[in-house]
Amino acid sequence: MLRGRRAGTGPDVVRVAPGERGAAQSIAAGLRAAADGQTVLVAPGRYHEDLLVDTAVRLRAERGPGSVSLVPREPVRITATATLTDLTLAGADPGEPLLRIEDGGLELVGCALLGGRIEVTGQARPVLRDCRLTGARLAGLYATGGTVVLFERCVVTDVDGIGVVAGESAQVTLRDTWIGPVTGSGVRARGAARFELVGGTVVAPGRNGIRAEESASVTGRDVTVSRSGGDAVFASGVARVELTGCRLADPAAAGVVAADRSRLVLTHCDVQRAGATGVVCRDEAEVDLVAGFVRGCAGNGLFVTEHGVVTLADTVLGDSTYSVLHVGGSGRLTATDVWVGPTAEHGLHAIGAGSAELTGGRVHGCGLAGLSTADRAEVTATGTVLAANRNGVVVGGDRPARLTGCVVDASGRAGVQVGVGAAVELTDCRIDRAGTAGIVFEQDSGGTVDRCAVHDAEGSGIVVWTGANPQVTATSCADGAKNALFVAEGGGGRYVDCLFAASAYPAIHVGAGATPTIVRARIRDTDLDVDVDLQARPVFEEIRLTDVTRSLLPPAALAAGGHPAAPAAAGTAAPTTAGTPGSTAAAEVAVPTEADLPELLAELDALVGLDRVKQDVQAQIKLMQTVRRRQEAGLASPPLSRHLVFAGNPGTGKTTVARLYGRLLAAMGMLERGHLVEADRTTMVGEYVGHTGPRTQAVFRRALGGVLFIDEAYSLVPPGHTNDFGQEAIATLVKLMEDHRDDVVVIVAGYPVEMGRFVASNPGLASRFSRTLTFEDYGPTELTDIVEAQCRRHEYQLADDARVAVHALFAAIDHGHGFGNGRAARQVFQRMTEHQAQRVADLADPSTDDLLRLTASDVPTAGSVA
C-alpha cells in the first residue's frame, strides 16, 4: 500500500506524484491503491490518463485549483460515490463526453471541465459546486434516466449547443448558476424530466433561455434570462413551467411562449423589451400571470390565439408597439386588476371568436382604443377604468360588448363607439370628458344603456345614427358641448327615465325620418329643449322641464306640472307626440364673434377648388364690412342685398359655402346666430289649399337670425304647372324676405340653367336675388385633393401609387350633367376603404401601416362611380 510521506499527509491519504519515491506514479495507480473513504492527493502536473472512479474516494489537487490537469483520451467514468476537488479536466474532442457519471453520488467541487460535456445516466446523483464547464459542443451537461443532479454556484459557458439538458425522468437543480453564452437553449427539459432553478442567470443563449417539452416541468425562482436569441421561455407538449420572481429581459423573439397543451405560471415576474410579443399563448396552452410586468415589447404585450387560455391578475402590461392585449382565434383571457398601456394601438383587441373578461384594473394611453372588438369576439368588463385613450371602447363585432360599473374618461374621441351593426350593453357606467361624443351608435347598431352617466363631452352626449336602435334607461347626459341626445336622420331607439341637462345645443336633436321614443325624460338647464326636423316622427311622453329658456314641446308631451320653461317664440312651430312633424332650432355651432372672422375666412380659403366662388364671397364680405363701418359712422347705407343664388351641379360645395357664409355674417354682427336651415320643396309646399303658407312660414322662422338654404329651388315652379302650390310658397317667401330683410339671408341653389328660369319666374325673386355665384365642376386634380382630405379626416394614408390611380380614375369618368363632383369623390373614398378592409381582413396579423394605408389596388373602377 502506498501511503503519504510528506508533511500534511496521513495514513488515510494516497499521494500521486510521478517520479517521487513512495508515491503513486499516476492517478489511476493512486485510485487502485486507495480504499473507500481515503483521499487521493494529486501533485501539480498534467496527467494524460483514462480514469475509472469505482471506489468512494476523495480525489483532490494538492495545490488547489489550476494545479492539476487531467487530459483523458476517453471519458472519465464515475460509478461510485466519490468526491473530486479542484481538478481541471480537458477533453480532446468538444463533441464527446468528458465526464460520464454512471452511478453513485459523485461530488465535484471547484473543478473546471474544458472541451467536453458531462453525461449523467442511470441512477446517479451527482452534486457540482463552484465548478466551471466551458467549450463543450452539443451540450454542457446532459442528464438522462432517473438521475438527480445538483448544480450550486457553477458556470456553464461557451457551449456550442445547449447549456444543460435533462431527458427521460432526470431531475436537475441549478442554484445560483450562470449559463451562457451558448448557441442553443440555456436550459432544456424533455421527456418527463424536471428542472428546478433557484437564483442564477441565463445570458445570451442562441435559442431559448428556458425550454420545456413533452411532459417535462421547470420551476424557477429569482432567475434572470437575458438576451436570448429566440424566445426567453418556451413550453410545448404538456410541459409545465412555473416561474416566481424571475426577470426575462431583451429576448430577440417573444418573452414567453406556451404551445400545444403546455401550462405556464409566472408570479412576480418581469418580462422586458421582447423583440416580438411579450407573452404568447396558442394551441390549447394555458398561461397564468400574477403580480408581474410585461413591458416594452416590440409586438403585443400578450397574444392569445387558437384555443389558448390566459389568466392575468395584478399585472402591469404596457409600452408595446402593437395592441397590449390581443385575443384571437378561440382564445380566452381573464384579467383581474391589470394595468394596461400605453400603446400606439389598442389596449385590448379581441377578434375572431376570442373572449376576454376584465375585472377592475385600468386601461390607459392607447392610440386607437382602450378596448376594441371585432368579428365574433365577446368582451365583458366590470369595474374597469379606461382613461386617456383615443377611443375608450370600440365595438365592431357580431356579439355585444358588456361593460358594468366601468369608467371611460378623457377619451380623445368617442367614449364608447358602437360600430355598424354591432351592439353594446352598458350598465352603471360613467363616460366622462369624451373628445367628441360620449356614446356613438353607428348605422344599424344597438344595445342597452342602463343607469349610466355621460358627462362633459366635447360633442354630444349620445349620438344615434341612421338605423340605430339603442334602448337607454335611467341614464344622464349632462354638460355636453353640443346636444345631450343627437338622433340623426333615420335614427331611432327608446329612452326612458333619462336626464338631459346643461347642453350647449338643444337638449335633444331629432333628424329627418328619425323615430325615437322618449318617455319620462327630464330636461333642465338648457336654452332649448328639443330640435326636431319636420320629417321626423318622434314620440315624447311625460317630459319634465326645469330651467329651460325656450320650449318647443307641445303641452301634451309634458308631465303634469312639468313645464317651468319660457314659451317658444311667437309663431314657432312645435313638435307633437306620435309623429307629427316638428321644428328644428338648428343650433349647429356656437355663435361666431368678430374674433372668429380670420379663422372662418381661412376655412373658406382651405376649401378645395371654388376659386371664383371664394373671390365672390370675400368681395361680398368686404362690401358688408364697408356698409357696417358707414353705419357706425352715422352715414347712410347703400342698397344692399345679401340674398344669393348658388348655381352649380351637385356636389360642388354649395351647402358648405352657404354654412360658412352664415357664420361669416354672424361674426361681423350682420346676423344674430348665423346657423343654417336647409329646405326644399317637400318642406315648403303642402298637399292641399291653405297648407303651403304655414309650412313655408315655419321653415322661414326657424332660419331667423341665420341662413335659409333652399336646394333645388326651381322645383317650386315646375314647368307646365301654373296652378302648382309652389307659386304660393314663392309668394310667401318673397313677403317674408321683405318683412325680415335684416334678420335672415336666403340662398337658393340648383343647376345653372334651371336657376335662371326660377329667378325669372317671379318679379319679386328677380329683385331680391341680384347676385349669382357659379360653382364650377371639380377637375381630376381637385377631386383627388378631396379624396386626400377625406383620408386625413378619417385617418387613412393615401399611397403615392393610389393618388396617381385616383387622378386617372377621375380623368376617365364622364363629367357630364348629373356628375356627383364632391359626392363622387367621397364615394370613391368609401369604396377604397371597403376594398382595403377586405384586403386587410385576409392578413394574419396586420400592422398599423396596413390599417392606415390605401394603395392603388383599393381604387375602384370608373364604371362603379356615379
Side-chain angles (χ1 to χ4, degrees), residues 30 78 86 110 121 125 154 156 173 176 192 273 278 284 306 388 482 485 545 598 601 634 688 725 775 834 852:
I78 308 293
D86 296 339
T121 62
R125 280 165 166 69
C154 293
V156 180
T173 299
D176 299 319
R273 299 181 298 278
E284 299 176 57
E306 295 168 343
K482 293 187 178 179
L485 171 64
L545 307 178
L601 289 170
Y688 50 85
F725 291 137
F775 288 71
E834 292 169 355
L852 290 173

Side-chain angles (χ1 to χ4, degrees), residues 799-834:
D800 291 341
D801 63 341
R803 195 181 203 319
V804 172
V806 169
H807 190 280
L809 169 67
F810 287 129
I813 291 176
D814 180 12
H815 288 225
H817 185 79
F819 175 65
N821 284 288
R823 181 186 64 202
R826 290 187 291 274
Q827 181 186 31
V828 166
F829 169 72
Q830 181 178 348
R831 294 283 178 83
M832 290 177 70
T833 62
E834 292 169 355

Side-chain angles (χ1 to χ4, degrees), residues 456-467:
D456 296 302
E458 292 296 322
S460 296
I462 298 177
V463 174
V464 182
W465 291 109
T466 304

Side-chain angles (χ1 to χ4, degrees), residues 389-707:
N389 304 296
R390 184 166 191 209
N391 291 284
V393 178
V394 175
V395 184
D398 299 335
R399 301 187 180 181
R402 298 177 174 89
L403 281 74
T404 302
C406 295
V407 174
V408 183
D409 184 37
S411 304
R413 300 188 69 182
V416 177
Q417 182 172 330
V418 188
V420 176
V424 71
E425 295 178 9
L426 303 176
T427 305
D428 294 319
C429 293
R430 186 178 183 93
I431 297 96
D432 288 339
R433 299 187 297 165
T436 54
I439 305 173
V440 178
F441 289 94
E442 294 188 18
Q443 182 177 348
D444 299 327
S445 64
T448 60
V449 180
D450 186 29
R451 302 190 304 275
C452 294
V454 183
H455 289 175
D456 296 302
E458 292 296 322
S460 296
I462 298 177
V463 174
V464 182
W465 291 109
T466 304
N469 190 37
Q471 307 299 303
V472 183
T473 55
T475 290
S476 65
C477 296
D479 300 304
K482 293 187 178 179
N483 306 103
L485 171 64
F486 180 97
V487 184
E489 179 178 344
R494 183 176 177 83
Y495 311 85
V496 180
D497 296 322
C498 294
L499 169 67
F500 304 108
S503 57
Y505 287 12
I508 300 172
H509 170 88
V510 183
T515 58
T517 297
I518 301 171
V519 179
R520 295 192 300 276
R522 290 172 295 147
I523 301 175
R524 74 181 190 207
D525 301 324
T526 189
D527 180 58
L528 185 64
D529 51 5
V530 296
D531 166 13
V532 181
D533 190 274
L534 285 171
Q535 295 182 333
R537 295 293 183 269
V539 174
F540 293 98
E541 297 179 359
E542 300 183 62
I543 310 300
R544 293 183 177 273
L545 307 178
T546 304
D547 294 329
V548 175
T549 306
R550 293 189 302 143
S551 173
L552 296 181
L553 284 168
L558 302 177
H563 190 209
T572 303
T576 64
T577 61
T580 301
S583 67
T584 174
E588 295 165 341
V589 294
V591 177
T593 65
E594 189 167 3
D596 298 315
L597 193 57
E599 182 178 344
L600 293 171
L601 289 170
E603 188 175 344
L604 174 68
D605 188 61
L607 296 177
V608 175
L610 304 177
D611 291 340
R612 280 184 54 190
V613 170
K614 294 174 187 176
Q615 291 172 6
D616 289 344
V617 171
Q618 289 167 351
Q620 193 81 343
I621 295 302
K622 290 177 181 177
L623 174 61
M624 293 182 186
Q625 286 176 319
T626 301
V627 169
R628 186 184 64 177
R629 289 178 184 134
R630 286 182 61 87
Q631 291 172 338
E632 291 171 349
L635 301 174
S637 299
L640 176 65
S641 175
R642 300 178 297 180
H643 310 303
L644 299 172
V645 176
F646 282 4
N649 291 324
T652 49
K654 296 186 294 295
T655 305
T656 300
V657 174
R659 183 174 287 109
L660 264 172
Y661 186 58
R663 294 168 64 193
L664 283 162
L665 295 183
M668 293 189 300
M670 310 279 297
L671 284 175
E672 180 183 355
R673 293 166 58 197
H675 64 287
L676 183 78
V677 173
E678 298 182 60
D680 56 19
R681 179 182 172 89
T682 62
T683 57
M684 297 174 67
V685 178
E687 293 83 20
Y688 50 85
V689 175
H691 193 202
T692 296
R695 287 177 70 108
T696 302
Q697 291 177 30
V699 172
F700 190 90
R701 287 193 172 106
R702 293 209 315 273
L704 288 173
V707 174

